[in-house]
Amino acid sequence: MATYLQCFWGLSLTLSLYFIQSTATPHVYIVYLGVSHIHDPTLTSKYHHQLLSNVFASEEDAKQSILYSYKHSFSGFSAKLNSTQATSLAKMEGVISVFRSKTLQLHTTRSWDFLGLTLDSKVTPWQLAFGDDIVVGVFDTGIWPESESFQEGPRMRPIPPNWKGECVKGERFDPAKDCNRKLIGARYYLKGFEYDYGPLSKSGNPEYRSPRDFLGHGTHTASTAVGSIVKNASFFGLGQGIARGGAPRARLAVYKICWGKKFVGKCSEADILAAFDDALHDGVHVISASFGESPPFRPFFESKAAIGSFHAMQLGITVVFSAGNNDNDEPDPSLVQNVQPWSISVAASSIDRMFPTQVLLDNTLSTMDLMGESFITTEVKGKLADSRIYFQDGICDRDYYNTTLNKSAAGKVVLCFSTIGSELSGEAVAAVKMANGLGLIFAAPMTMQIPYVEIIPTVLVNIEQGSKLKDYLAQSPRFPAVQIKPTKTIIGKTPAPTVATFSSRGPSSRTPDILKPDVSAPGVNILAAWPTDTSPTLSPSDKRSVKWNFQSGTSMSCPHVSGAVALIKSAHPNWSPSAIRSALMTTACTRDTTFDSILAGGSMKVSDPFDIGAGHIDPFKAMDPGLVYDMKTSDYILFLCNMGYTQENIEKIVLPSAGLETCCPKVHKTNTNINYPSITVSNLESTMTIKRTVRNVGQNRNAIYFANIVKPNGVEVVIWPRILFFSWFNEENSYYVTLKPRKKSQGRYDFGEIVWSDGFHHVRSPLVVLVNTTTVDYSDSITQASTI
């Protein structure tokens, strides 16, 4: 007999219609319901249980199935369901999306000086003047609370009274001892991870059932974003200097959502969404999230990053994501991650610091020396050997180790090439370690010269240098002696920034009319805090203990932008997330320290907006951008309409406000018309006109701005009006950009820019256009081919 469940706003569902019994294997699914219309968390959770009970035998079974009830900042839940139950829930009234929880990967001193935030006493240290009472939430692997980076700074005020977060007790984490006025929040989320991988096990996989960090990634990113000032930080003397985060006076809240599995960080979407729900309720102002999902992408509201960051944006919280790392370190296009237009996606680039390492050779007949890069802290002496002696075909890979010869590389520094076998030095390191080698010289193209902290001494050289070493070996009557000197730190002698080889590139594969990444920031060889109980390489055989460690990745560039956002938010508390992003984008630079164009790592070419977005961030200029491109709710509604969401869906997702129109426009408008700080047209077939609106936020309210245009090749660009007048009574102005193709082209992007200037501010917007005026009739080709 049918029974009826009364929902809190009148929703009634027939139990007999939806009750599902199935023996199919359950998985964790996320059920997203949009904005919470019940402003009581207890009642919201109860509604979730009742809704879920429609696909279970009883409400008690439903409660046993649920992992998290997302009840504070948006409505939804994660639960253990089979595919039939998930399909039934997706058809129910009020449900926006049901999707299976996936496991995501992490994207893994001097950098702030390089960005212009110096602590030089001759310059006002405005990095210390802002940031108080701004709370940055870091979603990562936890925190090492004993690090000096997370101790209270001098004269730090009490915890803000509106802070609702807490420090949760757990294994080796005591809130009374480990939290303070700096570290004001620490939570951990484990249910999704444990369902996917089983109970947290310490057997061969050390971890802490608490906010405490083992993998080190979270400690590193947190200290980069908001770490306190620490003098004489270094990695065994390398990179020595004053360590601090971008906003050293800001507060830190840690949300541990990633856990070690065979020493690799794994992040369950169910856990991530629970962290978003808590963080938005706790009162964070900025969220730093160094993880992502590779293409192909799911619909936006079947993604935890899009859901969490959308609701954060509506509450005025800026969410900063890493743009992603390419697994093969190749700069392939369209692999950029975290492409939703309501958050910031950050590429990675280098800073002006090098770690030269001298290599000396002697075969008794002649000597040779060359310079590579490394993090070697003590002198290495041994014999140089060719990889072919120990590995089949000279391929430095564990699968090619020639065990039948039973040859040990003890006392040998092995020469390997990225062009023979693995392109990455990490696999060669593991292979040489297996062969009991003393060290490794790894030859790779100069565009891939990024040293890492390794378990054995490893020096990177370019292919030319590697070829000379190989020739030297061939001419030597016996193994030549090799001496590797300790690495040195050199600052200001290399052009920087350069876009990192591994940094994921645009255009966005989901929304090509929205430029992603947005900006670039330091992400190569970043020195930051590290757990002292975790070795710098994570290898169990590495017995070193360090307080600071070098890491590279867009995981490292992301917290640089998060720290900058905290400073801007402190100086301009009323700015929206889109205004803050605009300030960072329109003031970003596209020139390196030699005033030449920034190069794109992985190639010898000049970078373009798909490599670095609007450019390399300049936090100092971003504090006073002159004009900002703000986005209104109507911009997001247009975007959602173009993504296929209905008015009914949009009303459930968007916070209600007086006079808000949630219907989609009758005349189609592309995403190019969204008031983004960049202009991207992915398919220019004929003349089109685009509107942009800017707001004057400069100190001079009576300002006049003039437009300057750099036209993309083959595109006529007309701006009207060419002059914008601002006053106390007119702080906003709109202008129109008309683009007209002037060439025959297909599948080729060209780049330009629009700069508005009042003589002091230079408000720059990238202009990215794909002219598509040449069509190919594939049907003729198919017909001809069929007749051959």
Side-chain angles (χ1 to χ4, degrees):
M1 184 173 122
T3 58
Y4 295 90
L5 297 177
Q6 296 298 321
C7 297
F8 288 91
W9 55 81
L11 175 65
S12 63
L13 299 169
T14 307
L15 180 61
S16 59
L17 179 63
Y18 292 114
F19 173 59
I20 307 294
Q21 277 193 324
S22 174
T23 58
T25 303
H27 298 284
V28 176
Y29 283 85
I30 294 171
V31 180
Y32 174 54
L33 306 174
V35 173
S36 179
H37 296 279
I38 305 173
H39 302 295
D40 184 322
T42 302
L43 294 178
T44 302
S45 287
K46 192 169 184 180
Y47 167 62
H48 294 161
H49 294 149
Q50 287 192 328
L51 183 63
L52 188 57
S53 66
N54 286 286
V55 294
F56 281 94
S58 66
E59 190 170 330
E60 188 58 37
D61 288 344
K63 288 181 179 179
Q64 292 296 319
S65 170
I66 203 164
L67 270 69
Y68 296 105
S69 175
Y70 310 129
K71 57 195 175 185
H72 296 296
S73 310
F74 47 87
S75 182
F77 55 88
S78 53
K80 293 169 281 187
L81 305 169
N82 59 47
S83 59
T84 308
Q85 292 170 315
T87 301
S88 297
L89 279 168
K91 297 176 181 177
M92 293 185 183
E93 184 180 346
V95 175
I96 294 173
S97 60
V98 177
F99 56 97
R100 185 171 166 181
S101 173
K102 296 175 68 174
T103 299
L104 306 184
Q105 303 285 352
L106 293 166
H107 292 154
T108 192
T109 56
R110 163 70 184 165
S111 56
W112 290 110
D113 289 314
F114 180 67
L115 289 175
L117 303 187
T118 177
L119 295 182
D120 190 333
S121 59
K122 297 178 182 177
V123 182
T124 302
W126 64 273
Q127 202 179 1
L128 302 181
F130 297 99
D132 268 330
D133 297 342
I134 295 298
V135 183
V136 177
V138 177
F139 287 22
D140 217 297
T141 63
I143 194 78
W144 192 258
E146 291 81 7
S147 171
E148 294 173 82
S149 291
F150 311 122
Q151 305 311 306
E152 296 177 7
R155 298 180 298 278
M156 183 165 273
R157 297 197 292 258
I159 295 172
N162 57 350
W163 174 246
K164 301 176 184 177
E166 61 178 312
C167 288
V168 177
K169 189 174 183 178
E171 183 182 358
R172 288 190 62 187
F173 193 91
D174 180 3
K177 177 172 65 73
D178 294 324
C179 288
N180 50 43
R181 293 183 178 184
K182 178 69 174 181
L183 178 60
I184 65 173
R187 300 179 184 268
Y188 65 100
Y189 305 85
L190 194 56
K191 295 176 182 176
F193 174 86
E194 288 197 318
Y195 186 82
D196 290 337
Y197 295 100
L200 196 65
S201 172
K202 294 193 174 185
S203 176
N205 186 57
E207 256 295 0
Y208 305 102
R209 187 179 288 274
S210 74
R212 182 172 287 277
D213 183 17
F214 171 76
L215 289 177
H217 194 276
T219 298
H220 197 282
T221 56
S223 65
T224 300
V226 298
S228 298
I229 296 173
V230 183
K231 296 181 179 179
N232 296 317
S234 73
F235 178 81
F236 295 108
L238 295 176
Q240 187 165 359
I242 300 175
R244 78 275 189 191
R249 299 286 298 177
R251 316 305 176 108
L252 172 64
V254 170
Y255 299 84
K256 184 177 180 180
I257 44 87
C258 300
W259 302 81
K261 184 66 177 178
K262 296 181 179 179
F263 300 95
V264 175
K266 303 289 186 181
C267 322
S268 164
E269 286 194 303
D271 296 334
I272 293 169
L273 212 51
F276 266 112
D277 188 36
D278 281 338
L280 271 54
H281 177 261
D282 289 345
V284 302
H285 302 95
V286 185
I287 292 175
S288 187
S290 294
F291 53 77
E293 175 184 3
S294 298
F297 298 123
R298 295 167 289 173
F300 279 107
F301 290 103
E302 292 183 16
S303 159
K304 52 78 201 119
I307 292 171
S309 59
F310 184 82
H311 288 282
M313 174 275 299
Q314 293 191 96
L315 296 176
I317 300 165
T318 299
V319 183
V320 184
F321 287 107
S322 46
N325 303 336
N326 290 349
D327 292 337
N328 61 356
D329 267 15
E330 293 291 337
D332 297 323
S334 297
L335 295 181
V336 63
Q337 302 178 25
N338 296 308
V339 298
Q340 53 275 2
W342 43 80
S343 61
I344 302 175
S345 179
V346 187
S349 47
S350 66
I351 61 175
D352 62 341
R353 182 172 60 188
M354 295 179 64
F355 298 95
T357 306
Q358 188 178 20
V359 180
L360 303 172
L361 295 112
D362 188 350
N363 64 3
T364 70
L365 298 177
S366 63
T367 60
M368 177 181 176
D369 72 277
L370 52 84
M371 196 70 70
E373 272 207 271
S374 184
F375 293 121
I376 293 176
T377 55
T378 57
E379 188 175 77
V380 177
K381 289 184 177 181
K383 300 289 186 179
L384 184 66
D386 193 293
S387 60
R388 291 176 297 178
I389 298 174
Y390 310 103
F391 302 100
Q392 182 182 340
D393 299 325
I395 299 173
C396 296
D397 187 294
R398 285 169 290 184
D399 293 337
Y400 287 80
Y401 179 47
N402 203 334
T403 55
T404 58
L405 296 178
N406 197 27
K407 285 189 176 182
S408 170
K412 304 297 192 303
V413 176
V414 181
L415 174 63
C416 297
F417 283 80
S418 68
T419 52
I420 306 174
S422 174
E423 296 181 357
L424 306 178
S425 61
E427 179 54 45
V429 168
V432 173
K433 179 84 166 66
M434 175 185 283
N436 200 30
L438 173 65
L440 167 68
I441 296 178
F442 190 73
M446 64 176 65
T447 56
M448 298 175 65
Q449 299 295 302
I450 299 177
Y452 293 90
V453 177
E454 303 287 9
I455 186 63
I456 62 173
T458 301
V459 182
L460 297 185
V461 298
N462 62 41
I463 297 294
E464 180 185 356
Q465 292 171 312
S467 298
K468 289 180 179 178
L469 284 173
K470 195 170 183 67
D471 292 342
Y472 188 81
L473 269 171
Q475 296 165 8
S476 301
R478 57 182 65 88
F479 293 120
V482 60
Q483 181 182 9
I484 303 175
K485 294 288 190 178
T487 300
K488 295 181 179 181
T489 304
I490 302 294
I491 292 174
K493 299 297 183 181
T494 181
T498 296
V499 184
T501 304
F502 55 74
S503 186
S504 293
R505 267 56 169 192
S508 165
S509 60
R510 169 63 70 181
T511 54
D513 285 335
I514 303 291
L515 178 62
K516 293 290 176 174
D518 292 296
V519 289
S520 174
V524 177
N525 295 335
I526 303 303
L527 184 70
W530 196 255
T532 53
D533 285 6
T534 300
S535 75
T537 61
L538 294 179
S539 172
S541 60
D542 188 351
K543 303 305 179 184
R544 291 175 293 179
S545 174
V546 296
K547 293 182 178 180
W548 310 93
N549 196 13
F550 287 106
Q551 293 275 280
S552 294
T554 53
S555 280
M556 285 64 247
S557 59
C558 171
H560 277 90
V561 173
S562 303
V565 168
L567 292 176
I568 298 169
K569 183 69 175 177
S570 176
H572 305 285
N574 296 322
W575 282 12
S576 68
S578 59
I580 292 174
R581 179 182 56 215
S582 173
L584 287 165
M585 292 179 68
T586 60
T587 60
C589 63
T590 57
R591 299 282 170 174
D592 64 20
T593 50
T594 66
F595 303 103
D596 207 343
S597 299
I598 295 174
L599 291 177
S603 72
M604 303 299 291
K605 75 176 184 71
V606 172
S607 63
D608 60 46
F610 293 145
D611 301 312
I612 57 172
H616 198 68
I617 64 166
D618 187 332
F620 186 80
K621 288 184 178 179
M623 295 287 277
D624 180 22
L627 306 176
V628 295
Y629 293 82
D630 214 343
M631 290 177 66
K632 298 179 171 59
T633 305
S634 56
D635 289 297
Y636 298 112
I637 291 174
L638 172 60
F639 177 82
L640 295 174
C641 289
N642 288 337
M643 292 295 102
Y645 291 93
T646 64
Q647 182 177 354
E648 183 182 2
N649 293 144
I650 293 170
E651 287 175 348
K652 295 171 185 174
I653 295 168
V654 177
L655 286 174
S657 61
L660 179 65
E661 290 287 341
T662 56
C663 57
C664 294
K666 295 179 180 179
V667 178
H668 176 70
K669 293 183 178 180
T670 67
N671 287 332
T672 299
N673 290 282
I674 292 172
N675 201 41
Y676 215 71
S678 56
I679 296 177
T680 305
V681 180
S682 62
N683 186 26
L684 183 65
E685 296 178 312
S686 58
T687 301
M688 72 180 301
T689 298
I690 300 159
K691 180 183 178 181
R692 285 292 187 269
T693 301
V694 288
R695 187 173 79 248
N696 181 20
V697 295
Q699 291 184 348
N700 182 11
R701 312 306 291 177
N702 298 306
I704 303 175
Y705 278 80
F706 299 86
N708 184 48
I709 307 167
V710 176
K711 299 178 182 179
N713 182 41
V715 181
E716 182 180 327
V717 183
V718 177
I719 292 181
W720 184 86
R722 294 291 297 263
I723 304 174
L724 299 178
F725 296 90
F726 296 93
S727 68
W728 285 98
F729 309 102
N730 181 38
E731 67 173 11
E732 278 193 354
N733 268 305
S734 295
Y735 66 92
Y736 297 85
V737 182
T738 299
L739 305 175
K740 186 175 183 179
R742 288 295 192 186
K743 66 175 181 178
K744 289 187 176 181
S745 182
Q746 183 185 32
R748 177 193 179 103
Y749 277 97
D750 291 286
F751 308 97
E753 62 184 29
I754 297 172
V755 182
W756 290 96
S757 178
D758 62 352
F760 178 74
H761 302 96
H762 299 276
V763 186
R764 177 183 168 276
S765 293
L767 182 56
V768 181
V769 182
L770 187 150
V771 174
N772 194 13
T773 53
T774 303
T775 58
V776 179
D777 189 349
Y778 292 103
S779 61
D780 287 347
S781 300
I782 294 171
T783 303
Q784 292 174 16
S786 64
T787 59
I788 296 175

